[in-house]
């Protein structure tokens, strides 16, 4: 798979996400561990069955959050941009700012996409 397709709209690398890893390896133990961690971190009822995702920007199964609750993904799809790096409103986006302030990798990926 083209590695650029594994970079989410926000710059996060889906290939490093436990939901993606559990899905491609059909790893039930990782699904259970991830569901428990994410449920605790988000104070939300997340079950192992929800931990299935092929990546933000590709066809296939998504976690419920990535599929319909992620504001960044919904916005990028509505604007038909391949990445937030290609959005004219990127610098003023509060949702994206949160991701970029909390993930050095996402920030580096977005900067690479802006230059490329």
């Amino acid at each position: 798979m083209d590695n650029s397709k594994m970079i989410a709209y926000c710059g996060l690398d889906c290939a490093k996400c436990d939901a993606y890893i559990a899905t491609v390896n059909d790893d039930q133990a990782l699904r259970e561990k991830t569901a428990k961690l994410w449920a605790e971190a988000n104070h939300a009822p997340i079950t192992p069955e929800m931990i299935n995702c092929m990546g933000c920007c590709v066809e296939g199964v998504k976690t419920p959050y990535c599929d319909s609750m992620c504001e960044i993904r919904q916005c990028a799809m509505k604007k038909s941009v391949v990445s937030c790096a290609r959005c004219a409103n990127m610098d003023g986006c509060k949702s994206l700012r949160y991701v970029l302030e909390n993930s050095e990798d996402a920030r580096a990926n977005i900067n690479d996409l802006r230059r490329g």
Side-chain angles (χ1 to χ4, degrees):
M1 178 174 290
D2 177 0
N3 281 346
S4 67
K5 293 283 188 191
M6 295 312 298
I7 303 300
Y9 296 107
C10 65
L12 290 173
D13 186 346
C14 294
K16 294 179 180 177
C17 176
D18 285 341
Y20 173 79
I21 295 167
T23 302
V24 298
N25 295 312
D26 195 19
D27 185 337
Q28 188 61 25
L30 182 55
R31 281 186 187 101
E32 291 171 9
K33 175 184 169 190
T34 303
K36 184 174 191 265
L37 287 171
W38 289 4
E40 290 171 2
N42 295 292
H43 308 289
I46 299 172
T47 65
E49 295 75 29
M50 295 175 175
I51 308 299
N52 286 292
C53 194
M54 289 304 295
C56 177
C57 299
V58 298
E59 291 295 319
V61 67
K62 313 260 180 281
T63 65
Y65 178 81
C66 295
D67 185 47
S68 60
M69 298 176 353
C70 176
E71 293 175 18
I72 295 170
R73 182 172 182 269
Q74 297 301 313
C75 178
M77 290 184 348
K78 181 179 175 185
K79 292 180 177 183
S80 297
V81 295
V82 296
S83 167
C84 292
R86 301 284 179 232
C87 179
N89 300 321
M90 185 191 115
D91 292 327
C93 179
K94 289 182 174 82
S95 297
L96 182 63
R97 184 178 316 132
Y98 177 80
V99 173
L100 299 181
E101 286 175 352
N102 289 287
S103 174
E104 190 174 313
D105 288 343
R107 201 167 41 253
N109 288 332
I110 287 290
N111 287 335
D112 286 349
L113 290 166
R114 283 184 107 173
R115 287 191 292 270

